[in-house]
Amino acid sequence: MFDRWGVWDVLPDSGRRRWSLEPFESVGPLRFGMRPVDVTTALGGIARSPQLHTRAALPENRYGTVKGECWGLGLTFYYGLEERLRGIAVDALKGPQVYADGMALVGRAPSELEQWIVDRSEIREPFSELFYVNLGEPGSASLGVVVCAQRAGDRLLTRPVFLPAEAMNAPTRYLPTEVWTTR
C-alpha cells in the first residue's frame, strides 16, 4: 500500500474490500435494519477499530438520525432513533469498492457513473429509475443509491450513499443535510 497516507490519497481498487450491493437489502455484510451492535459485529473481522457510535441526534434532521462511523474502513452509518440502520455512505478515498450489476460505484468520476445510470434508465422505465438530488447528484431508484461527490485534491470522485426502499420517495429528507454535501 502506501508508506505514508496523504489527505487526498485514493486507495486503488486492488487495495479495497470488494462488496456487492443487494438493492434495498444489503451492502456487503451490512443489512438495512441492523442495530449498531450488529453492524459492529458484522465488521468485527474486517475493521481494525470498532464503530464509533454517536447517540446524539444530528441537527437539522426531522428524523432524528443517529450517526456511526468506521473510519478505518471509510464507512459512515445512519440510524433512525429506533437505532436501525437506514443509510450507508462509502468514502471515495478509502471505502470498500461496492459493485452493482458489475459496475464499481466507489471512487469513480461522477460523470462516468451518471452516464451508467442514464444508460440503465433506457432499459427500464426512465421516470422510475433516474433522479437527481440537491446540486445534481444522480440517483438510481432501482438500486437505492445516490451518487454524491467527494474531493480528492483537485478532482471529484463518487461517494455513494445507499438507502432502503422507504427512502426513495424523498432521499434528502430521509437522512441529514450533511450526507448530501460534497466533502
Side-chain angles (χ1 to χ4, degrees):
M1 299 256 213
F2 299 102
D3 292 330
R4 289 186 303 182
W5 186 262
V7 69
W8 301 117
D9 288 338
V10 178
L11 193 61
D13 279 354
S14 62
R16 296 177 188 255
R17 304 248 177 232
R18 295 176 60 95
W19 287 3
S20 293
L21 171 66
E22 291 296 327
F24 310 117
E25 298 294 323
S26 65
V27 179
L30 307 174
R31 298 189 68 72
F32 291 109
M34 289 177 121
R35 295 188 180 279
V37 68
D38 300 324
V39 168
T40 299
T41 300
L43 297 173
I46 302 170
R48 292 182 187 156
S49 57
Q51 172 186 192
L52 297 174
H53 181 218
T54 307
R55 292 194 179 271
L58 296 168
E60 300 178 26
N61 182 25
R62 307 169 208 204
Y63 295 93
T65 302
V66 177
K67 183 178 178 181
E69 296 174 303
C70 188
W71 284 107
L73 284 180
L75 298 167
T76 304
F77 313 107
Y78 298 93
Y79 301 93
L81 287 180
E82 71 286 354
E83 302 247 337
R84 299 290 187 167
L85 185 61
R86 65 189 295 163
I88 303 165
V90 180
D91 185 83
L93 306 180
K94 62 182 174 181
Q97 186 53 267
V98 180
Y99 291 88
D101 293 342
M103 174 60 94
L105 304 179
V106 180
R108 298 290 178 246
S111 60
E112 175 187 329
L113 229 47
E114 179 181 29
Q115 186 59 55
W116 179 74
I117 294 171
V118 167
D119 292 345
R120 286 181 93 246
S121 72
E122 291 175 3
I123 59 172
R124 289 170 172 72
E125 200 171 318
F127 298 110
S128 64
E129 171 61 15
L130 176 67
F131 65 90
Y132 290 91
V133 299
N134 284 346
L135 299 173
E137 292 92 353
S140 167
S142 68
L143 294 175
V145 65
V146 175
V147 182
C148 296
Q150 180 176 338
R151 285 188 59 205
D154 293 335
R155 332 179 266 157
L156 290 177
L157 298 175
T158 55
R159 177 184 59 87
V161 177
F162 300 98
L163 301 159
E166 59 267 20
M168 290 294 87
N169 289 334
T172 59
R173 292 185 178 205
Y174 195 74
L175 295 178
T177 306
E178 76 163 37
V179 177
W180 312 112
T181 58
T182 300
R183 297 182 194 267

